[in-house]
Amino acid sequence: MQRAALELIADRGYDQTTVAEIAVAAGLTERTFFRYFADKREVLFASQDRFIALVVDALIAAPPDLAPLEAVVTAFGASTTWFDERRALAQARQGVIDAHPDLQERELAKIAKLSTAMTQALSDRGVSEPQAALAAAAGVAAFRFGFAQWLADADGHDLESHVLSGVDELRKVIAI
Amino acid sequence: MQRAALELIADRGYDQTTVAEIAVAAGLTERTFFRYFADKREVLFASQDRFIALVVDALIAAPPDLAPLEAVVTAFGASTTWFDERRALAQARQGVIDAHPDLQERELAKIAKLSTAMTQALSDRGVSEPQAALAAAAGVAAFRFGFAQWLADADGHDLESHVLSGVDELRKVIAI
DNA sequence: CGCTTCATGTCAGCGACTGTCATCACTAGA
DNA sequence: TCTAGTGATGACAGTCGCTGACATGAAGCG
């Protein structure tokens, strides 16, 4: 169903694609669609949930002596090869999302979910509440920055180096 | 209409309040509601748009020799007295928003809108693209942090001091 | 063979949202 | 003062996202 949805929406646009059409294209009915996905947008974000789980697990498993922001960056590192192997798909998906405000909203919500999950994981590592929240926010900002650069980057540096340069930029901005 | 909406939703919940009810409570019809607000959520966020305009204008007007992050913080300072005078209303509104995921999504979207507007304004001040994006992201993160503290703060420090302590915390996290 | 369970289909219905046309007040200008 | 135009609103019908309730059929298990 996710594949069918991405193809249909990429083809004719989000508004012009009904849930019924997606379901039929996958050989099912509209009602069944809503048994798998909470709403229409969600069909494009199921993979995002897996990504979040992956990164949070990596954060929990990170060496306990790392500073908060370093632990966050390390955790993101665990996901970068997964992306590096699927750059074309990620670009297609991002194109669809960037084309519709409703989808951008959902993406922001997923990012926020990631951020709060990382905050929680940092708390569990013994980081204080404010430090955890801001380290997660900063790390996520750097990742988003690096991710955008990576998607746009024609000469194919890998995602991780883009994320690291995002952290560097962040340090420069803050250090003033 | 905004007042009617906030009261009704605070009273019986977002899902249990229909657009038609809000419109009638304001002496209008559902169709007219949708001429003023793009969708049901938006009625709770019109004020947010004014806030964004205010802060962005302040950023444009900030002394040109300020560092990016300092300019952002200064711009937020222009809005804090507005909030300090309306703390009770802000709390009511935040309570409603926190009670429904759809509204949280919209709030994130508004925050993102603010962030990109500030990025643009920083660019216009001559700040480089990456620095602008990250300074805006960092500033917004600090503001959100300070805002949450301020809403929860019983002994009434003003918003600005909470935001400044957010920036301090951010510096500590990053500096490692 | 009967029982349960799980995935799916069917159907009816609500509410968000839109396009279209009608109505009515208000204004500008002859 | 009449008239034409403009802008805000209402009325109505229709689409689509989404949900609850019940039916069906296949798979597994005693």
Side-chain angles (χ1 to χ4, degrees), chain B residues 1-38:
Chain B
M1 211 130 56
Q2 300 176 40
R3 214 179 323 123
L6 184 56
E7 284 171 15
L8 280 175
I9 294 176
D11 188 33
R12 48 173 113 159
Y14 182 75
D15 283 334
Q16 283 66 47
T17 309
T18 71
V19 172
E21 287 167 347
I22 296 171
V24 168
L28 293 168
T29 65
E30 185 183 6
R31 191 65 186 86
T32 302
F33 178 98
F34 285 111
R35 290 195 177 101
Y36 283 93
F37 306 102

Side-chain angles (χ1 to χ4, degrees), chain B residues 29-82:
Chain B
T29 65
E30 185 183 6
R31 191 65 186 86
T32 302
F33 178 98
F34 285 111
R35 290 195 177 101
Y36 283 93
F37 306 102
D39 56 45
K40 183 181 173 184
R41 306 170 203 175
E42 202 61 19
V43 69
L44 292 170
F45 290 91
S47 56
Q48 196 107 343
D49 280 339
R50 272 177 263 131
F51 165 68
I52 291 176
L54 184 73
V55 175
V56 172
D57 284 349
L59 177 54
I60 291 171
D65 55 324
L66 286 182
L69 183 58
E70 281 182 314
V72 169
V73 172
T74 303
F76 277 125
S79 77
T80 51
T81 57
W82 192 88

Side-chain angles (χ1 to χ4, degrees), chain A residues 29 31-32 35-36:
Chain A
T29 66
R31 191 64 184 86
T32 302
R35 289 197 177 99
Y36 283 95

Side-chain angles (χ1 to χ4, degrees), chain A residues 58-82:
Chain A
L59 177 54
I60 292 170
D65 54 323
L66 285 182
L69 183 58
E70 280 181 314
V72 170
V73 172
T74 304
F76 278 126
S79 77
T80 51
T81 56
W82 191 89

